[in-house]
Amino acid sequence: MITNHNKIGGVGQVVEIDESKFGRRKYNRGHRVDGQWIFGGVQRETGDCFLIPVEKRDKDTLLTAINDWILPGTTIISDCWKSYQCLEDEGFVHLTVNHSIQFKNPETGAHTNTVEGMWRHAKASLSQYSRKKRFYGGYLAKFMFLKRCRILNIEPLTEFFKLAGELYDPKAIQENNLLVSDDEASSETDENDEDL
């Protein structure tokens, strides 16, 4: 889901993007949340999405992710975060909504309700206990995979084995194991020769 992904969007398609912090309030009090920043987007027409952990929400980090996950010419809807101000220069149509004023831009009709709903579902899918920061990529890949299976109406276990078979070619693995076995055998022979 992460390394062999397809880009979403395209000309005439709308992708809502946003970033959210996954974690808990410190000592269950106040507004400060300790956790992991996640950047994500969802295509309105299909429901296809991406969610990736990011360490920073700066222009370079988010623009790299956008170019990696979203096709050029896509209409991107976001909040007014300063890192998104360059999107039109990068070949995207960019609409914004100012959440400090309204939830929907009255002039363009732009809103980010779809991606906000995705955050709610993604956070609910995570275990409440034993979350490890280093595993967030895996947690998010599982969420994206199961969402994709629901969209395509396919059985997850069957799809998992199909994709695993495509990702890990059994012939290549077998050939690699034979090469490793031959190398191990020759190194054992070399060690035995040195003992003599």
Side-chain angles (χ1 to χ4, degrees), residues 46-102:
T46 63
D48 289 333
C49 68
F50 69 90
L51 298 99
I52 55 171
V54 291
E55 292 306 314
K56 297 183 285 187
R57 298 181 302 147
D58 64 336
K59 175 184 168 184
D60 293 336
T61 302
L62 297 183
L63 189 56
T64 299
I66 288 166
N67 285 322
D68 194 31
W69 284 90
I70 302 176
L71 291 166
T74 302
T75 299
I76 295 179
I77 300 177
S78 72
D79 57 19
C80 295
W81 182 244
K82 61 185 176 189
S83 297
Y84 301 138
Q85 292 175 356
C86 64
L87 290 178
E88 290 200 358
D89 298 335
E90 298 294 325
F92 300 100
V93 177
H94 185 215
L95 303 175
T96 60
V97 57
N98 187 342
H99 286 148
S100 62
I101 299 173
Q102 69 258 339

Side-chain angles (χ1 to χ4, degrees), residues 3 17 20-21 29 39-40 49 61 87 91 99-100 118 122 165 174 184 189 195:
T3 57
I17 60 172
S20 182
K21 198 159 197 183
R29 294 186 184 162
F39 176 64
C49 68
T61 302
L87 290 178
H99 286 148
S100 62
M118 181 186 70
Q174 185 178 11
E184 288 174 356
T189 305
D195 290 341

Side-chain angles (χ1 to χ4, degrees), residues 1 6 46-48 144-156 159 162-163:
M1 295 307 297
N6 293 321
T46 63
D48 289 333
M144 290 188 297
F145 173 73
L146 292 174
K147 187 173 189 328
R148 181 175 174 266
C149 289
R150 278 192 303 277
I151 291 168
L152 298 175
N153 197 25
I154 52 179
E155 203 277 317
E159 183 69 4
K162 180 184 140 215
L163 293 173

Side-chain angles (χ1 to χ4, degrees), residues 156-169:
L157 186 61
T158 305
E159 183 69 4
F160 174 80
F161 284 122
K162 180 184 140 215
L163 293 173
E166 291 172 5
L167 189 60
Y168 301 103
D169 179 16

